[in-house]
Amino acid sequence: EAQVTQNPRYLITVTGKKLTVTCSQNMNHEYMSWYRQDPGLGLRQIYYSMNVEVTDKGDVPEGYKVSRKEKRNFPLILESPSPNQTSLYFCASSLWATGGSYNEQFFGPGTRLTVL
Amino acid sequence: AQKITQTQPGMFVQEKEAVTLDCTYDTSDPSYGLFWYKQPSSGEMIFLIYQGSYDQQNATEGRYSLNFQKARKSANLVISASQLGDSAMYFCAMEGFQKLVFGTGTRLLVSP
């Protein structure tokens, strides 16, 4: 089954304790992206990757890191989490980067993160 | 830069009735795509429908249709014959540079 998986689905942590949220897709997609969802703000892009070893900042990259060493995986790293990073996080993938042609983004199930 | 505006924070509809969720957009690109996603209380993002800016006809997918008015820059989602399972958050989105640009969402509640 074609899917994007994220782990963990739920995480409660404390300020400053490094964490990684994993994202993996089995559709051989070049493009992957991370979003965060906050009430009243919709989803905002954190980072994206157009292919292996190619990553770039989205709209809200501060406090996050990513890596793309393999095509299927795109982990999100919070080196020193803070309470304002409490949010619902989504990983997404698609065949290629968006831009003028139909290109559905497949979303993972989401990771609900609470930073105390 | 692209922008999506959803002005209805919440909507109520009775089961079996139709409901329209509003979405207006702003872009200077001549070619663009518009999406609607459903987010139930479980949290996942479910793709509903897509409309390309050059599509001649309004998109339809089962009970979902998109009322696309290009001159008004609106892409309203119409759900016909609402069901209790349609209660969810609905997001309008459009293709931006290397990302989807989302609106703030509309929470739909379907009552029996």
Side-chain angles (χ1 to χ4, degrees):
Chain A
E1 179 190 357
Q3 60 182 349
V4 179
T5 57
Q6 292 179 230
N7 282 292
R9 293 289 312 280
Y10 303 90
L11 180 60
I12 300 174
T13 188
V14 295
T15 299
K17 186 176 182 181
K18 181 180 178 180
L19 66 92
T20 299
V21 183
T22 64
C23 172
S24 184
Q25 49 92 5
N26 62 1
M27 295 168 278
N28 202 35
H29 286 166
E30 288 90 0
Y31 175 87
M32 298 184 75
S33 181
W34 276 102
Y35 294 85
R36 63 177 287 174
Q37 181 183 353
D38 302 292
L41 296 177
L43 279 76
R44 294 175 294 166
Q45 189 186 52
I46 303 170
Y47 268 95
Y48 66 93
S49 170
M50 293 175 66
N51 215 321
V52 175
E53 302 292 2
V54 181
T55 63
D56 209 344
K57 296 177 181 179
D59 296 320
V60 287
E62 294 76 21
Y64 305 94
K65 286 175 58 178
V66 293
S67 68
R68 188 91 181 271
K69 292 182 169 44
E70 304 167 283
K71 198 172 187 179
R72 65 183 292 128
N73 296 324
F74 189 44
L76 179 70
I77 303 157
L78 285 72
E79 295 268 2
S80 183
S82 62
N84 64 12
Q85 293 178 298
T86 293
S87 189
L88 178 59
Y89 291 87
F90 287 100
C91 180
S93 74
S94 62
L95 271 174
W96 53 82
T98 55
S101 59
Y102 176 59
N103 186 26
E104 181 184 348
Q105 290 206 13
F106 293 82
F107 283 84
T111 295
R112 197 169 290 277
L113 172 66
T114 301
V115 183
L116 302 175
Chain B
Q2 291 82 2
K3 185 178 180 181
I4 294 284
T5 302
Q6 294 181 256
T7 57
Q8 305 157 314
M11 289 285 286
F12 293 88
V13 66
Q14 275 202 310
E15 205 176 1
K16 299 179 185 174
E17 307 232 323
V19 62
T20 298
L21 306 184
D22 293 342
C23 172
T24 58
Y25 61 90
D26 190 25
T27 181
S28 55
D29 293 335
S31 175
Y32 50 88
L34 295 152
F35 299 80
W36 276 92
Y37 286 87
K38 173 184 178 181
Q39 186 179 46
S41 57
S42 51
E44 70 269 29
M45 297 291 284
I46 302 169
F47 166 73
L48 293 178
I49 197 166
Y50 170 84
Q51 179 81 46
S53 57
Y54 290 122
D55 292 343
Q56 295 296 314
Q57 293 187 327
N58 287 344
T60 60
E61 289 287 348
R63 294 186 298 110
Y64 304 108
S65 60
L66 204 151
N67 184 1
F68 182 47
Q69 299 189 42
K70 199 168 181 177
R72 292 187 176 185
K73 293 190 173 181
S74 73
N76 298 339
L77 177 71
V78 180
I79 305 174
S80 62
S82 297
Q83 302 172 356
L84 295 178
D86 293 335
S87 293
M89 195 76 167
Y90 289 81
F91 289 98
C92 180
M94 75 179 302
E95 291 174 315
F97 179 72
Q98 314 297 2
K99 65 184 176 187
L100 285 176
V101 178
F102 285 85
T104 53
T106 296
R107 185 170 298 280
L108 176 66
L109 183 61
V110 181
S111 60

